Amino acid sequence: MIPFNKPYLTGKETLYIGDAVKTGKISGNGKYTQKCQQWFEETYGFKKVLLTTSCTDALEMCAILANIKEGDEVIVPSFTFVSTAIAFVRQCAKIVFADSYSDNPNIDVDKIEALITNKTKAIVPVHYAGVACDMDKIMELATKYNLLVIEDAAQAIDSFYTGKDGIKRALGSIGHLAAFSFHETKNIIAGEGGMLTINDEQFIHRAEIIWEKGTNRAEFFRGEVNKYGWVDTGSSFLPSEIIAAFLWAQIENLEPIQNQRKLLWQTYYNALSAQNALNIQLPKIPPYATNNGHMFYVVLQSIEHRTAFIARLKENGFHAVFHYLSLHASDFYKEKHDGRALPNSDKFSDCLVRLPLFYELENEAIDKIITIINSVNLLA
Ligand SMILES: *Cc1c(COP(=O)(O)O)cnc(C)c1O
């Protein structure tokens, strides 16, 4: 069976973990944590980076930093992972779900303004498959209504947005805050891991405190205060050096990993777009966005087509998977949702299927998958 995902190891992970262990400093915020954070800041222009134990944790930090309280409203796409919403639900926010575009799972920015009320505090765009949301429009709304923008950039490492000013900016560097994931299903990995990026300086000081269990420990270790204590809320959001050491090995190989993933993505895309008779929708990369090779998906005509397609791939030894179930229709939130229909989100829930894409995937496997797609279509 060709799996849907296979975590790629560069070979240096255990070497750096061994080094971290030998130095005797394996708790958080040591040499490897600082190397990773500095690399991300310098490479992508984030003002401040804090590694976290997951993207979910980074989103929880965002919800605390945004001072989200009971009664506040947060606008979130419905077609996303649970974490995008749950981080704000834990702060007792009301989630106002937004629909996707019909031809792109990202949040439809033209439908956001109608959802804004005087209780709205934040918009959380998700860069699905690492493809940028239309950030200019989102930032304009944020300025107009004094809202925070928190990018769920879990899938968006090394992907960019070119705004109206013509400047190409890394995803995660545009909103006030952003969250990335290094879960083993993402492009670069640490098993479980993530990071918070802070682009609005007013949040930096408090973020370090929340990160370190509500203490000013980070300042103390920099020699800025002569004792440290409990000064705010927080949790243990920082990962150990063992995780940061693993991540450093991945960072060192980011370029070959990205090149290979983009090559595989393009192989799928070229083969499928050449067959314009097929009744499937291919990923859309708007002119303002880049592709980071995170995911290759196709959208079929119905859930029945998709079920048959996934079964056919399985019979032939390939594991393909569907993705999110609309959050507004979830067991946990459907009673709390305001009842609006979100048809595009539901369509992607029913019809989108993700194909195998990982560093070691062979071209022949892609060729076979393309052949199967053609045969399924002929039968449909
Ligand atoms: C993977 C993912 C997350 C969660 O990341 P973790 O690091 O597992 O917490 C959140 N949002 C999106 C869009 C994701 O793809």
Side-chain angles (χ1 to χ4, degrees):
M1 191 78 160
I2 304 282
F4 165 67
N5 178 56
K6 182 173 175 228
Y8 173 62
L9 301 177
T10 71
K12 292 273 187 72
E13 287 81 359
T14 47
L15 185 75
Y16 294 149
I17 290 173
D19 179 52
V21 170
K22 262 184 251 143
T23 64
K25 160 77 176 145
I26 52 173
S27 63
N29 202 8
K31 176 176 87 175
Y32 283 102
T33 299
Q34 279 156 22
K35 271 163 94 85
C36 293
Q37 291 180 172
Q38 196 181 351
W39 188 88
F40 286 119
E41 287 164 9
E42 286 169 4
T43 308
Y44 297 119
F46 308 131
K47 282 222 178 87
K48 175 74 189 168
V49 169
L50 293 173
L51 293 191
T52 57
T53 50
S54 66
C55 177
T56 308
D57 268 2
L59 288 164
E60 286 182 14
M61 288 184 71
C62 292
I64 296 170
L65 286 166
N67 258 324
I68 300 294
K69 293 182 292 295
E70 184 153 17
D72 290 345
E73 296 178 5
V74 178
I75 298 174
V76 174
S78 181
F79 189 72
T80 184
F81 191 58
V82 177
S83 301
T84 319
I86 209 167
F88 300 93
V89 166
R90 291 182 82 241
Q91 293 290 118
C92 302
K94 177 179 169 203
I95 307 299
V96 177
F97 285 111
D99 208 359
S100 305
Y101 295 104
S102 62
D103 59 353
N104 173 348
N106 280 342
I107 189 166
D108 180 345
V109 295
D110 294 324
K111 291 190 189 141
I112 295 176
E113 191 162 16
L115 304 176
I116 296 173
T117 72
N118 58 12
K119 292 182 179 155
T120 308
K121 287 283 148 57
I123 307 173
V124 191
V126 178
H127 305 298
Y128 186 76
V131 175
C133 295
D134 193 349
M135 293 306 293
D136 275 347
K137 289 196 186 150
I138 293 171
M139 298 311 290
E140 275 163 28
L141 287 173
T143 305
K144 184 170 169 190
Y145 294 97
N146 193 25
L147 309 175
L148 286 177
V149 174
I150 298 161
E151 294 172 71
D152 182 339
Q155 305 173 7
I157 196 74
D158 200 45
S159 202
F160 298 85
Y161 173 80
T162 305
K164 281 185 290 203
D165 59 8
I167 299 173
K168 190 170 170 182
R169 292 184 174 82
L171 300 187
S173 74
I174 303 165
H176 303 88
L177 300 162
F180 286 84
S181 175
F182 305 119
H183 184 265
E184 73 167 27
T185 52
K186 307 301 201 260
N187 290 26
I188 57 167
I189 61 176
E192 301 275 358
M195 69 174 167
L196 169 70
T197 68
I198 304 166
N199 305 308
D200 183 338
E201 272 163 33
Q202 63 161 316
F203 295 113
I204 295 177
H205 178 70
R206 189 164 183 232
E208 282 188 330
I209 290 168
I210 292 167
W211 192 56
E212 283 266 30
K213 303 104 181 156
T215 71
N216 53 355
R217 196 164 181 272
E219 277 177 299
F220 174 72
F221 279 106
R222 283 197 299 261
E224 293 165 14
V225 290
N226 55 21
K227 58 181 169 35
Y228 81 87
W230 184 13
V231 295
D232 201 341
T233 186
S235 189
S236 189
F237 286 118
L238 73 174
S240 82
E241 278 287 286
I242 294 171
I243 288 180
F246 190 110
L247 183 62
W248 182 248
Q250 295 270 315
I251 287 174
E252 281 189 334
N253 284 272
L254 181 110
E255 203 177 306
I257 291 172
Q258 289 298 92
N259 288 341
Q260 179 62 9
R261 294 188 74 105
K262 286 191 261 190
L263 198 70
L264 295 168
W265 192 100
Q266 205 62 47
T267 306
Y268 273 122
Y269 191 86
N270 292 351
L272 290 172
S273 55
Q275 336 233 337
N276 49 14
L278 292 176
N279 256 331
I280 58 173
Q281 197 178 313
L282 296 180
K284 179 178 164 180
I285 315 282
Y288 51 72
T290 59
N291 169 37
N292 72 345
H294 174 60
M295 178 201 304
F296 193 86
Y297 67 84
V298 294
V299 185
L300 306 189
Q301 284 174 293
S302 70
I303 194 166
E304 291 77 20
H305 280 87
R306 184 179 72 180
T307 306
F309 176 54
I310 290 175
R312 178 68 70 89
L313 284 174
K314 196 170 168 201
E315 283 160 25
N316 286 276
F318 298 101
H319 188 210
V321 290
F322 55 82
H323 214 181
Y324 310 125
L325 304 173
S326 292
L327 294 182
H328 73 281
S330 62
D331 280 349
F332 183 72
Y333 219 84
K334 64 180 179 231
E335 300 302 327
K336 302 178 192 72
H337 177 61
D338 54 32
R340 276 172 302 115
L342 302 171
N344 295 331
S345 176
D346 290 341
K347 182 187 79 173
F348 291 115
S349 287
D350 285 349
C351 304
L352 183 145
V353 53
R354 297 176 290 160
L355 302 176
L357 200 166
F358 50 88
Y359 188 87
E360 290 162 272
L361 184 66
E362 314 253 337
N363 271 322
E364 298 85 81
I366 297 185
D367 293 344
K368 283 187 199 150
I369 292 170
I370 302 293
T371 311
I372 297 164
I373 291 179
N374 292 337
S375 72
V376 167
N377 190 63
L378 291 174
L379 294 172

